[in-house]
Amino acid sequence: MNTQYPIIVALDKPDESLARSVVGNLCGRVSGFKLGLPLLLGIGLQGVRQLRSLCREGIWIADLKAADVFHVLKLTYELVSDIADYIIAHAFIGYRGALEALPPSRLILVASMSHEGSREVIDKCQTLVAKVVDSIRPWGIVAPATRPEVIRYFRSLLGKRTKILSPGIGVQGARPGSAICAGADYEIVGRSIVEAPSPIEAFETIHREAVKVISKCRSVI
Amino acid sequence: MNTQYPIIVALDKPDESLARSVVGNLCGRVSGFKLGLPLLLGIGLQGVRQLRSLCREGIWIADLKAADVFHVLKLTYELVSDIADYIIAHAFIGYRGALEALPPSRLILVASMSHEGSREVIDKCQTLVAKVVDSIRPWGIVAPATRPEVIRYFRSLLGKRTKILSPGIGVQGARPGSAICAGADYEIVGRSIVEAPSPIEAFETIHREAVKVISKCRSVI
């Protein structure tokens, strides 16, 4: 697995052959794969099981952005716990009667989002969301590469033990490597790789740029 | 379809034969069915298609509690738009770059939740969430039967055009009929019916109680 640039590839499109080709080609070269809800629904749990059998390495994440009450979260977790190492849920739903259904050691909480509408509610409630994250101390959190100040805020709040995963690289505007420089542990890249004419070439280009950016910011420190 | 007591049955458990039996027995007697994420993932989209073929009546809702960015919401919607009349998403994620991916006429927004953890973040941000709901004006919203004052708040904010769907009846503590009395259009009942030894008998008991409660509160008005 590549440690120079810890990158997780987001697979969202419900296209089984595309997903198989990306996983087959990038297995061992990336830190893991994040499986979005459309992929999970579209190719089904059996399809995901077969996908994972193509690559036993790295981190596999079920990105359900789960945001429901206890009994629904529990049933959902039971369905994906054998095919993914971690599950993504929203911190904003709170702990009691909701997130307490999920084991913190296998949980990644959305602390902030990368789109513009995140300013309408989530960002304005950041202190409350952070309180939920801080009390649960999940394995990891999601904080957007498009806003490095949010990454820095959560890093200083949570210390080094909690992993920070940052989407928003590429199509959404952030430069490869920039979230790592701001303190993230992994960058999540989706469409810039998966929807490129050649996903491998796209990966290599992003990888080169990220390594350059990261070595530059690390030399400054 | 029963109009005395507008009830939607929530199917969450990923148990295909149970779901088929409940749908087969209650089709035409209830206002519709709400399909939770565990059911959708567990029996797959093909299973859901077959489930719907058992009952062409009523409202069918894909309860994904969707809470992701534009391109993921769009892909998700495309997968369920032929098997459900409406999709449930969280108002919390905001409009720009997120909820604008979904057609308001087929959208139900979660405005508030029924569990205790809802007080940790969502309830404290209710004014901001309400602003998102008010600007989108979706077909319907979800507001919990366990807190009738929230139902009344959204009814007075949105007027009569927006449907209010209320979970929280039965296992979660609210009395059948109480949300309708507070201004909701539909009550959502899940486990009290689906997990009862006899779902039909459970439905009939709940129905009788609701009709009693509703006729009492209506006679007061």
Side-chain angles (χ1 to χ4, degrees):
Chain A
M1 201 188 312
N2 193 306
T3 49
Q4 268 191 299
Y5 178 43
I7 178 176
I8 290 169
V9 174
L11 299 165
D12 289 316
K13 220 173 170 180
D15 179 334
E16 192 160 4
S17 72
L18 175 66
R20 291 176 71 90
S21 149
V22 170
V23 168
N25 280 306
L26 295 180
C27 181
R29 306 180 72 183
V30 297
S31 300
F33 297 95
K34 180 173 82 65
L35 315 172
L37 179 57
L39 181 87
L40 289 161
L41 278 178
I43 75 170
L45 297 180
Q46 198 44 36
V48 172
R49 230 166 250 123
Q50 286 165 7
L51 191 65
R52 181 147 197 187
S53 73
L54 299 177
C55 180
R56 295 283 173 204
E57 293 177 56
I59 291 165
W60 286 70
I61 301 167
D63 184 8
L64 294 161
K65 300 273 192 311
D68 216 315
V69 294
F70 188 96
H71 81 279
V72 178
L73 287 180
K74 202 167 155 51
L75 288 172
T76 305
Y77 176 74
E78 284 163 3
L79 287 173
V80 298
S81 65
D82 70 317
I83 49 176
D85 305 305
Y86 303 100
I87 180 173
I88 297 184
H90 270 286
F92 72 68
I93 58 172
Y95 180 72
R96 282 165 302 146
L99 292 169
E100 61 181 320
L102 306 171
S105 63
R106 297 186 64 185
L107 180 61
I108 298 169
L109 286 176
V110 178
S112 179
M113 293 178 80
S114 55
H115 65 295
E116 253 205 276
S118 179
R119 294 170 209 268
E120 296 168 33
V121 185
I122 298 182
D123 290 4
K124 289 185 177 133
C125 304
Q126 193 177 280
T127 317
L128 295 167
V129 171
K131 215 170 146 187
V132 174
V133 171
D134 193 28
S135 69
I136 294 177
R137 293 278 165 156
W139 178 81
I141 64 159
V142 176
T146 45
R147 271 173 286 154
E149 72 281 7
V150 176
I151 297 174
R152 282 190 285 265
Y153 168 79
F154 279 102
R155 176 58 74 214
S156 95
L157 177 76
L158 301 168
K160 292 207 165 173
R161 217 192 47 166
T162 308
K163 305 290 179 202
I164 298 180
L165 294 80
S166 290
I169 307 291
V171 175
Q172 289 179 70
R175 204 175 164 196
S178 63
I180 303 289
C181 287
D185 296 282
Y186 298 97
E187 290 188 358
I188 298 168
V189 185
R191 288 168 289 170
S192 319
I193 290 176
V194 179
E195 292 177 16
S198 161
I200 303 183
E201 277 178 33
F203 161 74
E204 282 167 353
T205 307
I206 287 170
H207 186 273
R208 268 194 305 275
E209 195 186 339
V211 169
K212 217 188 297 170
V213 168
I214 295 166
S215 64
K216 205 171 160 189
C217 78
R218 293 220 166 128
S219 72
V220 174
I221 302 164
Chain B
M1 200 187 312
N2 194 306
T3 49
Q4 268 191 302
Y5 178 42
I7 177 176
I8 290 169
V9 174
L11 299 165
D12 289 315
K13 220 174 171 178
D15 179 332
E16 192 160 4
S17 73
L18 176 67
R20 292 176 70 89
S21 149
V22 170
V23 169
N25 281 305
L26 295 181
C27 180
R29 305 180 72 184
V30 298
S31 300
F33 297 96
K34 180 173 82 65
L35 315 172
L37 179 57
L39 181 87
L40 288 161
L41 277 177
I43 75 170
L45 297 181
Q46 198 44 37
V48 172
R49 231 166 248 123
Q50 287 165 4
L51 191 64
R52 180 144 197 189
S53 74
L54 298 177
C55 180
R56 295 284 173 202
E57 293 178 56
I59 292 165
W60 285 70
I61 301 167
D63 185 8
L64 293 161
K65 300 274 189 312
D68 216 315
V69 293
F70 188 96
H71 82 279
V72 179
L73 287 180
K74 202 167 154 53
L75 289 172
T76 305
Y77 176 74
E78 284 162 5
L79 287 172
V80 298
S81 65
D82 71 316
I83 48 175
D85 306 304
Y86 302 99
I87 179 173
I88 296 184
H90 269 284
F92 205 95
I93 57 174
Y95 180 71
R96 283 165 301 147
L99 292 170
E100 60 180 321
L102 305 171
S105 63
R106 296 184 67 185
L107 179 61
I108 298 169
L109 287 176
V110 179
S112 178
M113 293 178 81
S114 55
H115 65 294
E116 253 205 276
S118 181
R119 295 170 208 269
E120 295 168 33
V121 185
I122 298 182
D123 290 5
K124 288 183 178 136
C125 304
Q126 192 177 280
T127 318
L128 295 167
V129 172
K131 215 170 145 187
V132 175
V133 172
D134 194 27
S135 69
I136 294 178
R137 293 277 165 157
W139 179 82
I141 65 160
V142 176
T146 44
R147 271 173 287 154
E149 70 282 7
V150 177
I151 297 174
R152 283 190 284 265
Y153 168 79
F154 279 102
R155 176 56 76 212
S156 93
L157 177 75
L158 300 169
K160 291 207 165 172
R161 218 192 48 165
T162 309
K163 305 291 179 200
I164 298 180
L165 294 80
S166 291
I169 307 291
V171 175
Q172 289 179 70
R175 203 177 164 195
S178 62
I180 303 289
C181 287
D185 296 283
Y186 298 98
E187 291 189 357
I188 298 168
V189 184
R191 288 169 288 171
S192 319
I193 290 177
V194 179
E195 292 178 16
S198 162
I200 304 182
E201 277 178 33
F203 161 74
E204 283 168 351
T205 306
I206 287 170
H207 186 275
R208 267 194 305 275
E209 195 186 338
V211 169
K212 216 188 296 170
V213 168
I214 294 166
S215 65
K216 205 171 160 190
C217 77
R218 293 221 164 126
S219 72
V220 173
I221 302 166

